[in-house]
Amino acid sequence: MVKLENMKNISLSDSVINLDHGDPTAYEEYWRKIGDRCTVTIRGCDLMSYFSDVNNMCWFLEPELAEAIKELHDAVGNAATEDRYIVVGTGSPQLCQAAVHALSSLAGTQPVSVVAAAPYYSTYVEETTYVRSGMYKWEGDAWGFDKKGPYIELVTSPNNPDGTIRETVVNRPDDDEGKVIHDFAYYWPHYTPITRRQDHDIMLFTFSKITGHAGSRIGWALVKDKKVAKKMVEYIIVNSIGVSKESQTRTAKILKVLKETCKSETENFFEYGHEMMKNRWEKLRGVVKESDVFSLPKYPEAYCYFFGKTLGSYPAFAWLGTKEETDLVNELRRHKVMSRAGERCGSDKKHVRVSMLSREDVFNVFLERLANMKLIKSIDL
Ligand code: PMP
């Protein structure tokens, strides 16, 4: 029997829990302990100008944030920052849209096809269809995509929703018309072993999934090609004339503390996050094993250069499947658990995406409801 701890929160016992969004509140406790070291004071007269650095092509990027980003990637070893432009965005979806816009506007013919291998991050669909641009067209699943002409493949690794390590799947190595945007939102040591220093043309990162500060809405792109970076900057200027300086200042401060503590024995955030995720995954796997109804993907172990040892993967989302012929999102909803339907991710009704980043009490209620689902189902039959 799986032991469910911390089940004291009576007020949660009957309410609907929302694990559809990946709201990363799981990390609040760590930052509470860090206390005032991340506190930022901003006076009324501070940060008033639109401009951050007129000598930078991305003139709305705060130099201290650029520095903090480079130092963090250097310390973690997950991505190359040299000889690249940093473009800051209001969350990484703005940057993804800016990159799709930039690559499409530089393509010979339009609309440019945009694809991602299923199961994919469902927000890509909205990002590429919502404004009904004539410059690009969402073409869905990249597996089996063989349309002629320019295309953009969105590669998410580790993947949202299923946590797998991904490479491109549209196999046209010599095709100049094929472009790739790598979304590395989860390529951080608490989720997955850092096996290499990524070195791609366009790499997207988001503050929210590293530390949990989703509310700051800060993302960044590391871009090799100056023309692409310039077009992305133009897009952000048209879209929001830059990015909040208050948010950038706070992000810079927190990333700096993150970097300073990331080799510490007692305060290493990645160690903390890794232990928490590992613990949650072990509990979830325990419930799934006992249920006989559900399934979860298995992940291979790999040597992590950041931690200096071989480790497993503990993704930010669980890609929960069922062996029954059932609409899993509805089944979970019946048990007051909101999740993201597999169909929205280009998959099927038998899969859902469940956030692993909720607060501890919510996560434990989820486990309890999942453990009881088999029971309710067998009573139903
Ligand atoms: N990319 C992926 C793969 C994500 O899962 C998310 C968050 N769910 C984002 C980008 C965007 O994160 P944010 O909006 O917090 O920057």
Side-chain angles (χ1 to χ4, degrees):
M1 187 56 195
V2 179
K3 231 177 102 208
L4 304 177
E5 292 157 356
N6 299 330
M7 295 300 301
K8 295 174 210 124
N9 197 335
I10 311 290
S11 62
L12 265 175
S13 62
D14 219 22
S15 56
V16 173
I17 55 170
N18 192 337
L19 300 177
D20 176 355
H21 305 289
D23 197 18
T25 45
Y27 305 124
E28 278 169 357
E29 200 46 42
Y30 174 89
W31 295 107
R32 197 165 289 121
K33 283 196 188 125
I34 287 290
D36 268 349
R37 275 143 72 193
C38 289
T39 302
V40 177
T41 306
I42 300 170
R43 296 169 304 169
C45 60
D46 291 332
L47 310 177
M48 291 178 67
S49 164
Y50 283 114
F51 301 96
S52 296
D53 180 1
V54 287
N55 297 317
N56 189 342
M57 183 218 287
C58 186
W59 51 259
F60 47 84
L61 169 61
E62 285 289 305
E64 56 177 330
L65 178 60
E67 207 44 47
I69 288 170
K70 283 191 223 153
E71 284 182 8
L72 181 65
H73 283 302
D74 273 359
V76 172
N78 62 342
T81 55
E82 62 276 7
D83 303 325
R84 270 153 230 270
Y85 299 89
I86 301 179
V87 183
V88 66
T90 300
S92 85
Q94 189 184 39
L95 290 160
C96 187
Q97 289 165 74
V100 168
H101 166 88
L103 294 173
S104 304
S105 64
L106 295 166
T109 48
Q110 291 162 348
V112 173
S113 302
V114 185
V115 293
Y120 44 71
Y121 174 39
S122 59
T123 304
Y124 293 149
V125 184
E126 286 110 49
E127 284 176 21
T128 53
T129 57
Y130 191 73
V131 297
R132 300 183 195 192
S133 167
M135 291 170 61
Y136 48 84
K137 187 168 186 287
W138 171 250
E139 292 280 356
D141 193 357
W143 299 104
F145 170 77
D146 61 358
K147 205 168 167 176
K148 295 250 171 319
Y151 73 92
I152 299 167
E153 182 174 353
L154 300 167
V155 175
T156 315
S157 188
N159 191 36
N160 171 357
D162 68 356
T164 52
I165 298 301
R166 288 279 183 90
E167 307 264 334
T168 54
V169 306
V170 181
N171 193 10
R172 296 193 206 163
D174 302 322
D175 189 343
D176 269 356
E177 293 191 307
K179 305 287 178 202
V180 184
I181 298 171
H182 281 87
D183 186 337
F184 287 129
Y186 304 98
Y187 190 56
W188 295 97
H190 40 340
Y191 302 118
T192 193
I194 302 302
T195 54
R196 55 180 291 218
R197 201 163 165 258
Q198 302 290 354
D199 185 19
H200 299 281
D201 290 350
I202 304 177
M203 302 189 281
L204 306 183
F205 293 90
T206 171
F207 184 37
S208 67
K209 303 302 161 142
I210 311 172
T211 61
H213 293 86
S216 295
R217 311 304 308 123
I218 293 291
W220 60 90
L222 304 177
V223 185
K224 258 188 203 165
D225 186 331
K226 188 174 184 177
K227 287 201 295 296
V228 175
K230 204 157 173 261
K231 285 273 176 202
M232 287 177 70
V233 167
E234 274 170 28
Y235 178 94
I236 292 170
I237 296 170
V238 173
N239 197 252
S240 53
I241 321 183
V243 174
S244 161
K245 285 187 178 186
E246 283 86 348
S247 279
Q248 291 191 60
T249 304
R250 180 168 188 232
T251 306
K253 177 85 178 182
I254 294 171
L255 291 187
K256 205 162 163 275
V257 171
L258 181 64
K259 192 235 142 185
E260 279 162 14
T261 53
C262 86
K263 302 277 166 176
S264 145
E265 296 261 314
T266 51
E267 288 187 315
N268 184 338
F269 172 79
F270 294 116
E271 184 89 49
Y272 171 92
H274 176 80
E275 279 310 306
M276 189 188 66
M277 296 304 290
K278 183 166 181 262
N279 186 272
R280 288 188 178 194
W281 271 93
E282 280 169 5
K283 284 185 185 170
L284 178 62
R285 285 197 189 281
V287 169
V288 164
K289 198 167 163 214
E290 277 183 30
S291 80
D292 224 28
V293 179
F294 300 112
S295 65
L296 285 170
K298 289 200 173 70
Y299 305 108
E301 290 195 329
Y303 186 81
C304 174
Y305 285 99
F306 178 78
F307 283 124
K309 54 186 170 191
T310 299
L311 295 168
S313 276
Y314 305 101
F317 294 100
W319 186 233
L320 190 67
T322 172
K323 295 165 194 163
E324 313 259 327
E325 284 306 320
T326 184
D327 183 344
L328 191 51
V329 84
N330 280 337
E331 275 297 304
L332 282 166
R333 197 178 296 135
R334 250 177 12 100
H335 292 79
K336 298 187 175 166
V337 177
M338 308 283 285
S339 62
R340 176 98 22 123
E343 283 172 311
R344 279 189 60 195
C345 308
S347 181
D348 56 29
K349 282 187 181 352
K350 291 169 72 175
H351 286 88
V352 294
R353 189 195 79 169
V354 181
S355 171
M356 295 291 283
L357 298 180
S358 67
R359 293 191 180 98
E360 189 75 2
D361 51 356
V362 174
F363 181 71
N364 283 327
V365 169
F366 163 59
L367 289 184
E368 193 192 47
R369 289 184 191 170
L370 199 66
N372 288 332
M373 269 181 76
K374 185 191 157 200
L375 198 72
I376 292 168
K377 219 168 169 348
S378 58
I379 292 166
D380 280 350
L381 289 172

